[in-house]
Amino acid sequence: MRDRIAWPELPLSRWSDTRATLHMWTQVIGKVRLASTPLVNHWWNVPLYPTAHGLTTSLMFHGATGFEISLDLLDHQLEVTTSDGTFGAMPLVAQPVSRFHARLMGMLHDLAIDVPVRTTPVEVPDPIPFEKDHVHASYDPEWAQRFWRVLLATTRVLCDFRARFLGKASPVHFFWGSFDLALTFFSGRRAPERPGADRITREAYSHEVMSFGFWPGGGGFEDAAFYAYAAPEPPGFADAPIRPREARYDQALHEFLLPYAAVCADADPDARLREFLETAYEAGAELGGWDRAALERGAPAEAAAAAYGEGPGAPPLH
């Protein structure tokens, strides 16, 4: 019987090896996406996206051929589909990154999709090129699926949170470099240049932003947490009264963190996460001088749905 708990427990100590391997597998898939898509502002051509079964690249092109790579964490297989009607798949089982990389690239080659990628992972200490990585080789289906269910539940809340923001906003997407689910709001103003910023950072933070998301832990840090930060950070943001009470500001990361364990143990996890997102946004927008009247929708989402003939009490559309 598949575990249908929306907010399952996810202590890092129970799945750290699987987490590290999944991180590298998503980087292999993400590198194909990076090589197969044109640059979109803030690197929005790079992330993966949560689906009803796992994560996907969404549609990419190799010449005139459309293709998509999906990491199915419900039925535990990797799938490649193409607009030519061809299909490839392999089971997700414990295997080193080197084998995963070789099998995926071989599968793409068999489908007449040859994508040259740089095989060195990014945003990790002491990166091992994919073809030489025999270290990361763990895959526990139960914990991989729990991780995906957390992404799914978080995506649901983030999409609802995003709906009332009228300004420029990113999709809810999964960055395989930093291995986190993210949503970003923009004030509409350009940000000052960051001294010494590399090309990736310069593009990502070219404009004033607030970002919110979920990070599963790892890399020498503590367990999974939700996060919220402003860039550039306005004065006083670190001292803002963010709720719920378990939220705290991390001086090293310059972010507010809310432990995932505190959310999944709550009687109403959705409400606790929404409280964190809303109070962090309000603090950042107020202290940063954002034009909230222009950037926020006044009417609740339910009223907007009713206006378009959806939801209880909605008039019929003709």
Side-chain angles (χ1 to χ4, degrees), residues 28 30-37 62 67 101 105 108 113-119 130:
V28 174
K31 292 273 193 165
V32 175
R33 176 159 165 75
L34 176 61
S36 302
T37 54
H62 183 70
F67 72 105
H101 170 257
M105 301 311 288
L108 291 172
I113 298 171
D114 289 301
V115 182
V117 301
R118 297 183 64 183
T119 62
F130 302 143

Side-chain angles (χ1 to χ4, degrees), residues 115-193:
V115 182
V117 301
R118 297 183 64 183
T119 62
T120 301
V122 297
E123 299 186 57
V124 293
D126 304 317
I128 307 170
F130 302 143
E131 69 274 14
K132 298 179 180 179
D133 188 348
H134 310 293
V135 175
H136 301 104
S138 299
Y139 186 76
D140 185 319
E142 176 188 351
W143 290 97
Q145 188 175 121
R146 284 187 181 214
F147 166 61
W148 161 70
R149 291 203 178 277
V150 177
L151 295 184
L152 202 64
T154 305
T155 297
R156 176 169 46 80
V157 176
L158 286 176
C159 284
D160 184 64
F161 173 58
R162 182 185 189 272
R164 295 188 63 182
F165 190 78
L166 297 179
K168 176 180 171 180
S170 75
V172 177
H173 47 199
F174 185 82
F175 281 102
W176 42 268
S178 48
F179 206 61
D180 68 304
L181 189 71
L183 166 66
T184 302
F185 291 168
F186 293 75
S187 72
R189 300 186 296 248
R190 289 198 67 88
E193 284 282 339

Side-chain angles (χ1 to χ4, degrees), residues 30-310:
K31 292 273 193 165
V32 175
R33 176 159 165 75
L34 176 61
S36 302
T37 54
L39 175 64
V40 175
N41 48 257
H42 319 298
W43 303 103
W44 289 356
N45 61 303
V46 167
L48 307 178
Y49 305 92
T51 71
H53 271 224
L55 291 164
T56 182
T57 58
S58 75
L59 180 64
M60 304 174 288
F61 287 93
H62 183 70
T65 301
F67 72 105
E68 181 175 354
I69 304 174
S70 298
L71 193 67
D72 187 328
L73 300 177
L74 185 60
D75 292 322
H76 306 290
Q77 64 178 1
L78 180 140
E79 301 172 351
V80 181
T81 54
T82 80
S83 58
D84 297 331
T86 53
F87 175 84
M90 69 175 178
L92 296 180
V93 295
Q95 59 184 306
V97 173
S98 57
R99 178 165 173 75
F100 180 91
H101 170 257
R103 295 183 72 183
L104 175 56
M105 301 311 288
M107 189 187 309
L108 291 172
H109 177 76
D110 290 344
L111 296 171
I113 298 171
D114 289 301
V115 182
V117 301
R118 297 183 64 183
T119 62
T120 301
V122 297
E123 299 186 57
V124 293
D126 304 317
I128 307 170
F130 302 143
E131 69 274 14
K132 298 179 180 179
D133 188 348
H134 310 293
V135 175
H136 301 104
S138 299
Y139 186 76
D140 185 319
E142 176 188 351
W143 290 97
Q145 188 175 121
R146 284 187 181 214
F147 166 61
W148 161 70
R149 291 203 178 277
V150 177
L151 295 184
L152 202 64
T154 305
T155 297
R156 176 169 46 80
V157 176
L158 286 176
C159 284
D160 184 64
F161 173 58
R162 182 185 189 272
R164 295 188 63 182
F165 190 78
L166 297 179
K168 176 180 171 180
S170 75
V172 177
H173 47 199
F174 185 82
F175 281 102
W176 42 268
S178 48
F179 206 61
D180 68 304
L181 189 71
L183 166 66
T184 302
F185 291 168
F186 293 75
S187 72
R189 300 186 296 248
R190 289 198 67 88
E193 284 282 339
R194 289 190 170 200
D198 59 24
R199 177 170 174 251
I200 294 175
T201 303
R202 189 178 304 112
E203 176 64 34
Y205 296 105
S206 60
H207 291 68
E208 290 183 350
V209 302
M210 286 197 68
S211 282
F212 316 86
F214 168 76
W215 182 65
F221 291 96
E222 58 188 59
D223 275 347
F226 299 100
Y227 66 80
Y229 66 86
E233 183 177 299
F237 183 68
D239 299 317
I242 306 303
R243 300 190 304 273
R245 59 182 176 80
E246 293 89 352
R248 63 176 180 83
Y249 184 82
D250 188 288
Q251 294 288 346
L253 297 175
H254 299 284
E255 299 178 4
F256 277 100
L257 299 176
L258 173 62
Y260 173 74
V263 172
C264 76
D266 195 273
D268 191 344
D270 287 30
R272 293 292 75 73
L273 178 53
R274 284 196 299 268
E275 183 179 32
F276 175 69
L277 298 171
E278 292 287 356
T279 56
Y281 166 73
E282 289 171 4
E286 284 295 319
L287 293 168
W290 287 28
D291 186 355
R292 296 186 63 184
L295 293 173
E296 299 171 20
R297 186 188 303 279
E302 292 81 1
Y308 281 90
E310 302 291 339

